[in-house]
Amino acid sequence: TTTIVVFLWQLIKNKKLKIPIAKISFVILFISIPSFIYATLLQYFAAYKFGWFPITYTVSDMASVKYLSLFLPTLSLALDPMAKVARYMRAELIESLNSEYILLARTKGFTRSKAIFRHAIRNSCIPVLNIVVPMFANVLGGSLVVESIFAIPGMGSLMIKSINANDHYLTIAILLIYSLVSLMTVLVVDLLYAVIDPRVRMGGKKQ
């Protein structure tokens, strides 16, 4: 129900803004559908029906075959984050392009593309960093099921096996590793704030 309400609200909103409805609909669709649904559909159509990719993870001495078997699970986990980043970046870019510093850059002789790449995109990335940590946590959660679908011997499938076998120590150890990875992601995001926004570095020097 929530997905339908959000979808209808976006349609009404974007009719006022005269934005192509098809593009917004695909973005909302990619955000709404969980990764294991993508994994199942991609495995059935791209691997089983058309035979473009291996159905499951393939252990091979050839790196091309090995990486080719990882393409579908990677794509199924990446569709949702890509749609979220595209949605947030689009909203922030619309706000940045209407701001005064972009107008100032244009009056200084910058072309539209140069002003966008040197100023608008950099400032638009700052709010997008706020969604990186929960988005990364969703990817870790989705990998639990996706690894089982494609028979990948990874941390996710190992955790599911440990839960089914009531191996609590192994389950806690894997959860601890996931927690440490998430904390490292938070640290990297905080460091990226200083890289993207010079005002963070300037504030630190003043103190």
Side-chain angles (χ1 to χ4, degrees), residues 159-177:
M159 182 174 177
I160 292 178
K161 290 179 181 178
S162 66
I163 294 173
N164 293 330
N166 292 326
D167 191 348
H168 304 300
Y169 295 106
L170 181 57
T171 304
I172 293 173
I174 296 174
L175 288 175
L176 181 61
I177 293 174

Side-chain angles (χ1 to χ4, degrees), residues 36-187:
F36 64 88
I37 299 296
Y38 291 127
T40 305
L41 293 175
L42 289 172
Q43 187 183 52
Y44 180 76
F45 288 103
Y48 178 72
K49 279 289 185 181
F50 299 106
W52 295 337
F53 301 93
I55 296 177
T56 58
Y57 176 73
T58 303
V59 179
S60 176
D61 294 333
M62 298 178 61
S64 59
V65 177
K66 184 178 180 180
Y67 292 135
L68 191 65
S69 64
L70 289 173
F71 179 78
L72 291 183
T74 303
L75 181 61
S76 61
L77 288 173
L79 285 175
D80 177 71
M82 287 191 300
K84 288 180 179 177
V85 170
R87 181 185 176 190
Y88 275 86
M89 279 295 294
R90 179 188 163 276
E92 294 299 327
L93 278 174
I94 290 175
E95 184 177 352
S96 297
L97 291 176
N98 295 324
S99 59
E100 294 180 354
Y101 66 89
I102 294 296
L103 180 61
L104 178 62
R106 295 297 303 275
T107 56
K108 288 183 177 180
F110 283 17
T111 61
R112 180 179 174 84
S113 59
K114 191 174 182 180
I116 290 174
F117 282 103
R118 290 192 61 176
H119 297 286
I121 289 182
R122 187 169 186 175
N123 289 325
S124 299
C125 286
I126 298 172
V128 175
L129 289 176
N130 295 327
I131 67 170
V132 170
V133 176
M135 191 168 57
F136 187 76
N138 290 334
V139 171
L140 290 178
S143 66
L144 298 177
V145 184
V146 172
E147 286 181 5
S148 299
I149 292 175
F150 288 96
I152 300 175
M155 296 287 291
S157 58
L158 180 62
M159 182 174 177
I160 292 178
K161 290 179 181 178
S162 66
I163 294 173
N164 293 330
N166 292 326
D167 191 348
H168 304 300
Y169 295 106
L170 181 57
T171 304
I172 293 173
I174 296 174
L175 288 175
L176 181 61
I177 293 174
Y178 278 172
S179 301
L180 292 176
V181 172
S182 299
L183 291 175
M184 289 298 297
T185 307
V186 175
L187 177 61

